Amino acid sequence: MKWDFEDYTIETDKTLISANRIKEFLLNSYWAKDRSIEVIEKSIKNSFCYGVYHDKELVGFARVVSDYATMFWIGDVYIDKNHRGKGLGKKLIECIIETKEFENLSGILSTRDAHGLYEQFGFERVESKFMARAPLRITDARDR
């Protein structure tokens, strides 16, 4: 799928996405700055991905994980700092919400600072219902 937005293009073709560029983005994030390139490559492979391009340069990214029947989870939403303030984040979320594969499914995500963006698309804060589990490392399990 492909959308045009001003001087930008949003595409779902994963072959255009550079894991190294995503690593650069995530180094500046609060949620994945320590993520390895191998994990990034695997996450791209196993997700429905969106790349935001300006003159063929990857300047934004998001990925969606779904069972395609009941729910989808939006993660790793990032717009390069040099391209922020132009409505790209809003357009990116709009493209995700409009994707046929996610119609009529429940959507979830986690954010520390972008509640206003997601609320424009019907997401609601439900902190009292949200739970999380960090990965259990083998060394952690041995210590028990």
Side-chain angles (χ1 to χ4, degrees), residues 11 18 30 54 68 71 73 75 101 119 127 130 142-143:
E11 294 195 44
S18 162
Y30 63 81
H54 184 258
Y68 298 98
M71 58 76 60
W73 171 80
E101 287 83 350
E119 287 170 343
E127 288 130 19
F130 186 78
R142 289 186 197 139
D143 293 339

Side-chain angles (χ1 to χ4, degrees), residues 17 35 47 54 76 80 85 97 103 115 126 128 137 144:
I17 295 172
R35 196 174 291 168
S47 300
H54 184 258
D76 295 338
D80 182 282
I97 298 302
E103 282 181 1
H115 298 89
V126 288
S128 62
R137 291 174 176 74
R144 289 181 178 218

Side-chain angles (χ1 to χ4, degrees), residues 60-123:
F61 177 75
R63 63 187 188 90
V64 177
V65 178
S66 180
D67 63 5
Y68 298 98
T70 62
M71 58 76 60
F72 65 92
W73 171 80
I74 300 173
D76 295 338
V77 177
Y78 192 86
I79 302 295
D80 182 282
K81 64 183 177 184
N82 296 321
H83 296 271
R84 292 181 189 162
K86 300 176 181 181
L88 290 172
K90 185 174 180 177
K91 183 64 178 178
L92 181 55
I93 300 306
E94 178 183 302
C95 292
I96 293 170
I97 298 302
E98 290 179 354
T99 299
K100 186 171 178 60
E101 287 83 350
F102 308 126
E103 282 181 1
N104 302 312
L105 304 185
S106 296
I108 58 172
L109 58 87
S110 178
T111 185
R112 217 191 265 175
D113 56 4
H115 298 89
L117 168 64
Y118 299 110
E119 287 170 343
Q120 295 175 56
F121 296 94
F123 287 88

